[in-house]
Amino acid sequence: GAVVSQHPSRVICKSGTSVKIECRSLDFQATTMFWYRQFPKQSLMLMATSNEGSKATYEQGVEKDKFLINHASLTLSTLTVTSAHPEDSSFYICSARLAAEAFFGQGTRLTVV
Amino acid sequence: GESVGLHLPTLSVQEGDNSIINCAYSNSASDYFIWYKQESGKGPQFIIDIRSNMDKRQGQRVTVLLNKTVKHLSLQIAATQPGDSAVYFCAAREGYSTLTFGKGTMLLVSP
């Protein structure tokens, strides 16, 4: 199947700093990628839909100025958590669409201290 | 909007047993359904999918059943193994919209 690579897998940052997470489709081009957030023992919550060459579409309640998404190429989308705070600590997962299927990255565990 | 939910948060089985994980969805217009397996600290892994024009689909040791009348989806795992221990999510989609995930069921397999 198609491979989606997410980097880094784990990151610890200080409160107030920014963190960038990368999502790459390795063997296919993805015009659409998705960013999810997952709290412990909970389901995936869609944060935003990232469209190559255009602005991301954010879900209700997600601050677009805090969670910056850039989809500059057909194989790369980035999520930047700006001015991170402890409440932003979570597991962030990206996925890329290929035809009808969605393939997921390995996830990034963000811890803000 | 659409909601997708699971009946059981945790399912404990013995190795070798068959496991059945259930899911209910609310949007009758959903036409594509997927089951994912998520191991601790990892992203979801595709298991099997089914379209609304089918009511059953089989894979290797897994079977998905779809009952559109009652908007219910199930995942059956035959001869469950310890390596099957994970959280299982169902997801549903209408057309080309985004996936909506259910709450998840943790499957615990005892040797």
Side-chain angles (χ1 to χ4, degrees), chain A residues 8 22 52 64 77 86 97:
Chain A
E22 293 186 347
E52 188 268 336
K64 62 180 181 180
S77 176
R97 174 179 280 165

Side-chain angles (χ1 to χ4, degrees), chain B residues 1 6 19-20 26 38-39 46 51-53 60 65 81 83 111:
Chain B
L6 295 179
S19 302
I20 299 176
S26 62
Q38 186 180 26
E39 296 175 322
F46 173 92
R51 297 192 180 277
S52 58
N53 61 350
Q60 188 176 13
L65 298 178
Q81 303 168 1

Side-chain angles (χ1 to χ4, degrees), chain A residues 22-98:
Chain A
E22 293 186 347
C23 181
R24 294 181 184 272
S25 55
L26 296 186
D27 49 2
F28 66 100
Q29 293 183 329
T31 56
T32 305
M33 292 186 176
F34 304 91
W35 287 96
Y36 295 85
R37 184 173 182 175
Q38 186 178 33
F39 291 105
K41 298 185 179 180
Q42 293 191 22
S43 187
L44 284 73
M45 292 182 57
L46 181 65
M47 298 175 66
T49 301
S50 171
N51 300 297
E52 188 268 336
S54 65
K55 291 183 179 181
T57 304
Y58 289 83
E59 295 300 300
Q60 191 173 8
V62 178
E63 299 176 60
K64 62 180 181 180
D65 294 330
K66 181 167 187 61
F67 298 100
L68 299 179
I69 292 173
N70 184 279
H71 194 155
S73 78
L74 288 171
T75 59
L76 174 64
S77 176
T78 61
L79 168 67
T80 301
V81 183
T82 63
S83 187
H85 291 284
E87 57 265 30
D88 298 323
S89 298
S90 190
F91 194 54
Y92 293 87
I93 307 171
C94 72
S95 77
R97 174 179 280 165
L98 177 61

